[in-house]
Amino acid sequence: RGPPARVLRALGEGDAALVGWGGWSPPGMRRAPVRVLHDGTPLADRAIEVAEALAEGDADVEVWLAPGVSRERGRALADSRARTLRRAVAERPGGLLIVPAGSALADRLAERSVAMRFPCGVLIVS
């Protein structure tokens, strides 16, 4: 808990921070999509592992690719700004967006004012 910069500094290896979207419940999340922003870093690969572990049951795992990232599977995004991701999430609200720590987007999403506008939970993994 605390200001975004302090929360992100406190994240250690293997930690995660869930920000925004009150009322989250594991049963509801299982039926909703789990999305991962892949920015080409090793932490993004870790984020996919976390998504697959969380997406038990009927949940889908969607991998969204930041510009310049090429992978076998995933949805290419025009950019990785918070506004673009918020619009993409709004196409199918609910669920969870997983973002690797250390990215500029993680810094923005750690700001309560940004995270609270997302129609889903936001999980920042390190």
Side-chain angles (χ1 to χ4, degrees):
R1 293 180 76 160
R6 186 174 80 204
V7 171
L8 291 177
R9 279 194 310 269
L11 288 175
E13 187 174 330
D15 285 343
L18 181 62
V19 295
W21 199 41
W24 176 80
S25 68
M29 201 283 300
R30 286 187 189 117
R31 291 184 298 277
V34 178
R35 305 161 182 102
V36 179
L37 175 65
H38 199 294
D39 62 359
T41 64
L43 275 179
D45 292 331
R46 168 90 174 109
I48 290 175
E49 292 173 9
V50 170
E52 290 170 346
L54 290 174
E56 56 188 64
D58 296 330
D60 295 326
V61 174
E62 301 172 9
V63 178
W64 293 352
L65 306 173
V69 175
S70 61
R71 287 184 52 88
E72 185 174 310
R73 107 179 194 223
R75 172 183 174 181
L77 298 172
D79 60 64
S80 53
R81 295 180 304 171
R83 179 181 7 183
T84 301
L85 284 169
R86 190 172 58 242
R87 280 191 214 131
V89 168
E91 292 172 9
R92 195 168 155 210
L96 187 64
L97 172 63
I98 301 176
V99 178
S103 68
L105 182 61
D107 292 341
R108 290 283 295 144
L109 288 173
E111 297 173 21
R112 182 183 167 109
S113 63
V114 175
M116 294 306 289
R117 288 188 299 229
F118 268 74
C120 69
V122 176
L123 179 68
I124 300 171
V125 297
S126 64

